[in-house]
Amino acid sequence: MRKPNGPLGTRCEIKNVNSIRFIGQAIEHEARRQIGLIEDGGVIEQETRLFDPDMGETRSMRSRKRHDYRYFPDPDLLPSSFRRRSLPICKKTCRNCRTRRSRVRAEYGLSAYLADVLVADRDTAEFF
């Protein structure tokens, strides 16, 4: 992560990402984790992290030193940037999301699927 127009941030390697769905979950979680850490004044450590698909989160496996990584820019990949508000709200692991989804189902008598759809979208979830 980096601040707008700031220098590139510290890289983290994520292991155990074996499907497109898990790639998306790992990116969402890691973006939130790094943004939260930076906003709280913390520092991103260069490390290898393990993605746990059951919990939808990453965990530290081992720290890495700068010379352990040999990155080469890929000319076919464009830089990506994320705005905090543009990231979807997690659906399964976050306690607040689970509480919100349960409350939406109980108050409005919705199916689990419809509650998931409403809670997954940040704009509609803020109404609940």
Side-chain angles (χ1 to χ4, degrees), residues 83-96:
R83 291 192 182 114
R84 186 175 189 133
R85 298 231 353 122
S86 69
L87 293 173
I89 295 175
C90 64
K91 293 170 37 175
K92 306 249 186 260
T93 60
C94 168
R95 183 171 44 143
N96 291 338

Side-chain angles (χ1 to χ4, degrees), residues 108-122:
Y108 298 98
L110 298 176
S111 67
Y113 172 77
L114 288 176
D116 281 347
V117 170
L118 290 174
V119 172
D121 181 66
R122 182 174 296 280

Side-chain angles (χ1 to χ4, degrees), residues 17-78:
V17 184
N18 54 15
S19 74
I20 297 297
R21 190 175 109 219
F22 291 162
I23 290 170
Q25 289 176 1
I27 290 171
E28 285 179 28
H29 172 75
E30 196 59 21
R32 282 194 186 97
R33 183 188 77 82
Q34 289 187 19
I35 289 168
L37 193 58
I38 291 169
E39 287 179 347
D40 291 341
V43 176
I44 306 297
E45 298 291 328
Q46 189 164 12
E47 62 184 339
T48 299
R49 298 186 65 82
L50 169 72
F51 178 68
D52 181 347
D54 295 328
M55 298 298 292
E57 63 186 22
T58 61
R59 293 190 305 268
S60 180
M61 287 178 61
R62 62 182 169 267
S63 68
R64 304 286 279 199
K65 303 295 181 220
R66 191 76 150 149
H67 66 273
D68 289 343
Y69 287 97
R70 292 181 180 89
Y71 292 110
F72 300 97
D74 186 334
D76 296 330
L77 297 177
L78 299 174

